[in-house]
Amino acid sequence: MNGRMSHSRRMYTGAVVIATMLMYMGMQVSAAPERSLQRLAMHPTTQNDIVLHDDAPRYTMVGSVDVRTRTLQMRQTLAWVNHTGASIRELPFRLYANLSDFAGQTRIQRAFVDGIVTPFHYNLSHSIVTLRLPTAVRNGATGVVTLEYQTSIPLDVGKTKYGAFNDDGRTLSFASAYPLLTTWQGGMWDITDPDTKGDLVNSPIALYDVTLTIPATHQLVSTGTAITQTFTGDTRTVRVVSGLQRDFTFVLTTLPVTTRMVDGTRINVYVDADEVAGSAQTMHYASRALRLFNAQFGQYPYNELDIVAVDASSFYGVEYPGLLLMQAATVAKPSRLERTVVHEVAHQWFYNLVGNDVQTDAWVDEAIATYAQVIYLRAFEGEEAAQSELASFQQQYDNLIERELDGPVDQHMRTYTLYSFNVLAYAKGALFYEALRMQIGAHSFGRVLQEYVATYRYQIADSDSLYELATNQCTCALDTLYRTWIRP
Ligand SMILES: [Zn+2]
């Protein structure tokens, strides 16, 4: 932890908007219109990536949000290609809203397969709903299922619950608020409830196409990019396409926006009008981080990155695909702001573009996103600032050792305590990256990170992925280093 467009252009209607927008983007709708639309959310240099991942799951959602009752009413169709190797009769979906940390509710109203009403059942905690398919989906075949559901978010619980799923009075945050097909692991569906110390959502890259009707008083900010917008009475209807993204999160907000283009990506920052300095600094840090990481890790593959301040206490910042939520107090407090923005921007490469299992291999994205703070300081402030950041990680780690709580960085989320997770996966993990850089040299280290992103982009990396690339790059033995820092 730790899209949209600015609405200067308005008041188009219906099909005219699609044609206008596509002409504006210099594209045309031809034989594969849906794919063409999804390209609009990608960076100009990565639009062909869509073609390479044509069999990614496709979520199409149409619905509306009632701000007064804080309720999302949605109809969702998932087209999913079965790559499990098995014949599938049951499809389990995660309902994160029903976890106690979220304090919300998702209720499935109806399920359909090929237009036929299909039975479903919940697990004990209602965090999983499972559809019983009328016929099996063979390996390699495509299954299409439709769910109608309602998701409600709580009011003003950011101080005690997960603030990324909350109405704080100005922003309604719907983090992972839809039924998400769970992952297939070790020959079965993973239906265990996640440990909620850190990030929760494991999912493959997917394509989202979402049309939402919301009050005209609010802006829709989301994963992906808005391609059309129409106004009817006091509502607006916005259609968003995601490009290749790992999850879909959206917020409705009345906060003002500032916008800047960086390397072909539009950064939108939504912060309270009273926090002029915090808003400008957030934009400044995000712009510098994006430009630096584009150069060091490879181009951010999307045309938009949104940052929204929300009332929350369980995080300083939290990453979603193409969307960062920042604790409003962090935006107002300069001391933590820069490292938090940099950390969350780095997660766009590590967690989103290069995925990892955030429960079994939580350190894989957290350690490198934390180390990215050092990379950033070294680039913009010099070696002394980088060493100072490393010294603060060392201090945290020394305190842990003193309390006799040292352990391997690589653990399942369940075996950390909250304290040991925060020190081992973040601080000790970042110190490991510095030790790796010292051992193989700065040049090789830079190459390894580039190769890591190039190799695992849109895929799932694990605890050994970087080890293998680094070993090949340096033609040296890194077992001692990994035993010292990482491995159980
Ligand atoms: Zn993080």
Side-chain angles (χ1 to χ4, degrees):
M1 293 192 180
N2 218 354
R4 33 145 293 113
M5 54 195 189
S6 65
H7 288 281
S8 51
R9 63 182 108 81
R10 297 163 51 119
M11 297 296 182
Y12 295 113
T13 54
V16 178
V17 183
I18 296 179
T20 305
M21 290 299 294
L22 294 174
M23 278 161 52
Y24 171 75
M25 302 294 287
M27 301 190 63
Q28 57 181 27
V29 179
S30 57
E34 298 308 312
R35 186 194 293 164
S36 294
L37 291 175
Q38 292 284 354
R39 289 163 62 100
L40 297 177
M42 302 296 284
H43 189 268
T45 60
T46 58
Q47 291 186 341
N48 284 336
D49 291 359
I50 297 271
V51 182
L52 303 174
H53 298 273
D54 204 31
D55 60 350
R58 287 175 181 270
Y59 290 85
T60 305
M61 309 180 198
V62 178
S64 60
V65 177
D66 183 334
V67 170
R68 195 178 43 81
T69 59
R70 306 181 305 281
T71 299
L72 166 69
Q73 176 68 49
M74 198 76 105
R75 181 183 172 94
Q76 166 183 314
T77 297
L78 168 66
W80 158 82
V81 182
N82 179 5
H83 290 307
T84 63
S87 241
I88 297 298
R89 278 302 295 266
E90 295 202 321
L91 277 188
F93 290 80
R94 290 197 177 273
L95 307 175
Y96 288 98
N98 292 344
L99 293 172
S100 60
D101 295 75
F102 279 60
Q105 190 185 57
T106 292
R107 198 165 54 81
I108 304 296
Q109 295 156 322
R110 290 194 298 180
F112 304 91
V113 174
D114 295 331
I116 299 164
V117 173
T118 301
F120 57 86
H121 59 271
Y122 296 96
N123 67 347
L124 205 55
S125 63
H126 282 219
S127 65
I128 299 272
V129 66
T130 300
L131 270 61
R132 177 84 183 152
L133 304 177
T135 53
V137 178
R138 291 191 315 279
N139 189 50
T142 300
V144 179
V145 298
T146 297
L147 294 169
E148 290 175 359
Y149 62 92
Q150 213 172 58
T151 294
S152 302
I153 58 171
L155 177 64
D156 205 17
V157 297
K159 296 281 181 287
T160 52
K161 299 285 185 179
Y162 193 45
F165 188 80
N166 183 37
D167 174 3
D168 69 11
R170 280 175 299 187
T171 302
L172 296 91
S173 307
F174 289 85
S176 315
Y178 61 99
L180 173 66
L181 184 64
T182 189
T183 52
W184 181 266
Q185 292 180 350
M188 61 180 76
W189 293 112
D190 176 19
I191 53 169
T192 53
D193 273 353
D195 186 295
T196 58
K197 285 187 207 80
D199 296 325
L200 305 158
V201 177
N202 281 326
S203 66
I205 287 288
L207 294 160
Y208 295 86
D209 184 335
V210 180
T211 303
L212 264 185
T213 299
I214 64 172
T217 48
H218 288 66
Q219 301 281 0
L220 176 67
V221 187
S222 74
T223 301
T225 291
I227 56 167
T228 66
Q229 175 166 222
T230 55
F231 289 83
T232 307
D234 54 1
T235 66
R236 71 173 84 208
T237 298
V238 187
R239 183 177 178 188
V240 171
V241 293
S242 70
L244 295 160
Q245 294 277 25
R246 208 165 281 286
D247 190 4
F248 185 85
T249 282
F250 71 92
V251 309
L252 271 52
T253 188
T254 56
L255 294 172
V257 63
T258 56
T259 292
R260 182 183 295 173
M261 290 299 292
V262 174
D263 291 351
T265 293
R266 182 191 302 271
I267 303 180
N268 299 310
V269 173
Y270 296 82
V271 167
D272 190 307
D274 291 341
E275 297 292 346
V276 176
S279 172
Q281 283 173 316
T282 300
M283 179 64 88
H284 176 59
Y285 301 144
S287 303
R288 293 212 300 187
L290 191 69
R291 198 175 291 121
L292 177 70
F293 298 156
N294 279 340
Q296 299 229 348
F297 306 147
Q299 175 64 45
Y300 174 75
Y302 313 105
N303 72 348
E304 189 172 319
L305 175 64
D306 299 317
I307 304 175
V308 185
V310 297
D311 191 11
S313 62
S314 64
F315 53 79
Y316 298 118
V318 61
E319 73 282 8
Y320 292 96
L323 173 61
L324 314 180
L325 297 182
M326 293 287 297
Q327 184 191 70
T330 304
V331 174
K333 186 174 61 183
S335 63
R336 283 216 66 93
L337 181 59
E338 186 168 22
R339 62 169 62 100
T340 304
V341 170
V342 171
H343 180 99
E344 306 309 337
V345 171
H347 271 308
Q348 295 303 311
W349 281 264
F350 308 110
Y351 147 71
N352 188 33
L353 182 54
V354 176
N356 57 288
D357 187 314
V358 297
Q359 291 283 303
T360 61
D361 299 321
W363 80 276
V364 167
D365 66 307
E366 291 303 352
I368 192 165
T370 306
Y371 187 72
Q373 299 163 213
V374 177
I375 294 175
Y376 171 97
L377 287 169
R378 190 171 269 136
F380 293 110
E381 312 290 337
E383 188 59 32
E384 202 174 316
Q387 290 302 327
S388 164
E389 189 78 342
L390 288 164
S392 81
F393 298 151
Q394 186 67 52
Q395 185 61 57
Q396 291 176 49
Y397 182 36
D398 288 347
N399 291 343
L400 184 90
I401 293 170
E402 204 166 302
R403 294 170 62 174
E404 299 183 352
L405 294 170
D406 192 14
V409 166
D410 180 11
Q411 298 187 36
H412 193 287
M413 191 65 94
R414 277 195 299 270
T415 66
Y416 299 111
T417 63
L418 183 58
Y419 172 57
S420 76
F421 171 58
N422 284 330
V423 179
L424 293 173
Y426 293 68
K428 186 180 177 184
L431 291 168
F432 153 77
Y433 271 99
E434 180 67 5
L436 176 63
R437 179 173 176 272
M438 296 300 283
Q439 179 157 342
I440 69 176
H443 180 70
S444 286
F445 181 74
R447 292 279 301 272
V448 168
L449 294 186
Q450 284 182 350
E451 213 178 307
Y452 180 58
V453 173
T455 305
Y456 290 98
R457 52 195 286 118
Y458 309 120
Q459 312 291 327
I460 303 287
D462 64 24
S463 281
D464 286 331
S465 301
L466 189 109
Y467 165 80
E468 285 157 10
L469 292 173
T471 304
N472 288 338
Q473 174 68 32
C474 72
T475 56
C476 63
L478 296 171
D479 294 287
T480 306
L481 185 79
Y482 266 75
R483 259 201 315 278
T484 306
W485 291 94
I486 302 298
R487 288 182 177 147

